[in-house]
Amino acid sequence: MQISLIYDQKYKNRQIRLPLKHQNNEDDLNMNPLKIIESFPHDFIFGTATSSYQIEGSSFGGCGRSHWDSFAQKPNATYKGQNGNIACNHIQYWEKDLDLVADAGFKAYRFSFSWPRLFIDGKTTRNNNGFSFYDRLIDGMLAREILPFSTLYHWDLPQNLADKGGWTNRDTCKWFADYTEAIMQRFGDRLHSVATINEPWCVSWLSHYLGHHAPGLRNLEAAVRSMHYILVAHSNATEVMRSYNQKNLGIVLNKEHMMPASNTDEDVEACKLSDEIYNLWFDEAIFKGQYPKKTLKLFHQYMPENFEIDLPQINRKIDWIGINYYTRSIIKADQYEPNTKFITVAGDLPKTDMGWEIFPAGLTKILTRQVESYSKTISIHITENGMASHDVLVNGSKVINDQDRIKYYQLHLEELKTLIDNKIPIKSYFAWSLLDNFEWAFGYNKTFGLVSVNYDTQIRTPKNSYYAFQRALKFL
Ligand code: IFM
């Protein structure tokens, strides 16, 4: 059996050794589908990602209540009413989890700070346990030579701020700036990079118009306000971080390649609007200081007064852009949709367990446009990519042979390699996710992890996708 040497080189005083693979037959040993990793540039960073509410366990360590704790209590809001109370109990098992990151050979770990874990009321009530937890976590990364890629906000808004209107209230942007300042003061010197917001479209549109995420609103006015305020929050936080001379600042946008359901004018126009709301709203504001026209026309009556004044601030310099990419969307005009007049319809490509079509070419389309139209000069990080699949434990619960997931990674990495060869400035790639975890409204029913988690015992079992990365990364 082959043994990982990487771990031992890094931790000369520790003797944990992991088998390099759990594939079912010996042929697989010589045919790692993720072999393409070996041909990436030597300074390219491979990492894996998680987020606070999805793994930490919000009932541990004096964490304050977040709007996800409340949302999960609403009838039918999440799968079987599941919540992040315990999740992967990362608060207790963080060392094991960082060992898994290091043992795989990942050089970076993307994690998020939990706002209510640091400030119970989101404002001034500090939770010292929370501060010392992130001290340990970050120091644990540095001790393992893992670069800490941090995110300030990955959706766990303190309930106290949600009670005051959350992202529909401009004051939240100010409190976010204060929270950012506290993070800079305590942790800034140890962070490799900082993203302000993870997936602003999800924070605003998905949560305030489509109602799928906390706070679960279906209200255009609320959605429009949050679409603007989340960018103001990004801008405020960036300003604070610059004043601390913090380096390597960015934001993480989720992107889907939009395609019309047919060539009719109606579908083509519907697709353009959907593309604006999903993709371009954020790019146009961040990189050009403007909002896209069609969407602004639809949103105008609800835009906060004098919103234009904020645009030059939102357009402030960032150092990198993070792209989360999973799938494409097919858009169809629908006169019964009350505001946008479009809906998303199912496509005919093979799908992941989320029902998302597998469309690696979309990554190339998205990134090409990103560079050509928006972020010509700055680095791009692929901050999330991965798939949910229905994983089956075989062989006495020790082997999870997730070949579909490995294939998904392979196909997307091939796209990336070609882009890099074509001088698109992509600097890192993060597999979503390190662990199976609380997949928001889908609870624990959808699994994206490289590592399976038994939620009764908290035993972690690396899947074959984990071992495929491990085998390829040792050559980098
Ligand atoms: O689990 C989420 C993550 O929190 C944000 N990006 C998409 C992932 C999969 O749905």
Side-chain angles (χ1 to χ4, degrees), residues 54 154-155 198-199 324 326 356 384 432 439-440 448:
Q54 291 180 275
H154 195 129
W155 308 353
N198 181 69
E199 300 184 352
N324 293 353
Y326 291 92
W356 298 349
E384 286 181 27
W432 182 270
E439 178 51 33
W440 308 110
F448 279 85

Side-chain angles (χ1 to χ4, degrees), residues 199-314:
E199 300 184 352
W201 178 87
C202 293
V203 176
S204 48
W205 197 254
L206 184 68
S207 308
H208 296 79
Y209 187 71
L210 299 177
H212 295 180
H213 280 188
L217 301 182
R218 292 170 200 267
N219 177 311
L220 183 62
E221 180 172 1
V224 169
R225 295 177 81 81
S226 66
M227 290 280 278
H228 182 64
Y229 289 146
I230 198 65
L231 286 166
V232 173
H234 155 74
S235 159
N236 285 359
T238 307
E239 183 179 17
V240 167
M241 292 193 283
R242 291 279 182 227
S243 77
Y244 279 81
N245 215 8
Q246 187 72 26
K247 301 285 182 301
N248 226 352
L249 310 182
I251 183 170
V252 170
L253 305 179
N254 51 314
K255 299 276 182 170
E256 282 180 14
H257 179 63
M258 301 282 159
M259 298 175 85
S262 76
N263 288 334
T264 61
D265 289 351
E266 292 78 11
D267 285 350
V268 170
E269 285 307 305
C271 184
K272 282 186 191 157
L273 179 62
S274 169
D275 190 32
E276 281 193 6
I277 296 175
Y278 195 98
N279 294 313
L280 302 186
W281 180 261
F282 305 101
D283 277 317
E284 288 283 321
I286 292 166
F287 294 107
K288 296 188 177 167
Q290 62 190 21
Y291 283 134
K293 291 197 177 57
K294 266 173 173 289
T295 309
L296 197 53
K297 197 166 161 214
L298 173 70
F299 285 4
H300 205 270
Q301 59 176 323
Y302 296 127
M303 288 300 288
E305 214 173 311
N306 297 326
F307 74 89
E308 296 90 346
I309 294 172
D310 297 322
L311 285 167
Q313 312 297 323
I314 294 170

Side-chain angles (χ1 to χ4, degrees), residues 343-456:
I343 55 169
T344 304
V345 294
D348 51 13
L349 297 178
K351 299 183 181 58
T352 71
D353 202 30
M354 296 292 278
W356 298 349
E357 285 184 293
I358 300 174
F359 187 58
L363 186 54
T364 297
K365 291 177 189 296
I366 287 290
L367 290 176
T368 306
R369 178 169 72 175
Q370 188 70 36
V371 171
E372 283 174 359
S373 304
Y374 297 105
S375 52
K376 284 193 180 59
T377 53
I378 61 173
S379 301
I380 297 175
H381 296 285
I382 307 304
T383 32
E384 286 181 27
N385 178 235
M387 79 176 269
S389 69
H390 183 66
D391 298 316
V392 183
L393 289 164
V394 288
N395 199 6
S397 293
K398 289 219 175 63
V399 175
I400 299 159
N401 195 13
D402 54 341
Q403 291 300 317
D404 290 351
R405 182 176 286 110
I406 295 173
K407 187 76 188 166
Y408 181 99
Y409 281 124
Q410 179 198 347
L411 295 173
H412 288 81
L413 287 169
E414 283 171 1
E415 295 285 325
L416 275 195
K417 179 62 177 46
T418 307
L419 288 163
I420 292 169
D421 290 346
N422 290 329
K423 307 272 179 280
I424 303 284
I426 305 161
K427 303 298 179 195
S428 74
Y429 175 89
F430 288 80
W432 182 270
S433 176
L434 173 66
L435 303 172
D436 287 346
N437 57 45
F438 177 70
E439 178 51 33
W440 308 110
F442 296 92
Y444 299 94
N445 193 36
K446 302 291 173 196
T447 54
F448 279 85
L450 299 174
V451 176
S452 156
V453 176
N454 177 320
Y455 296 105
D456 295 326

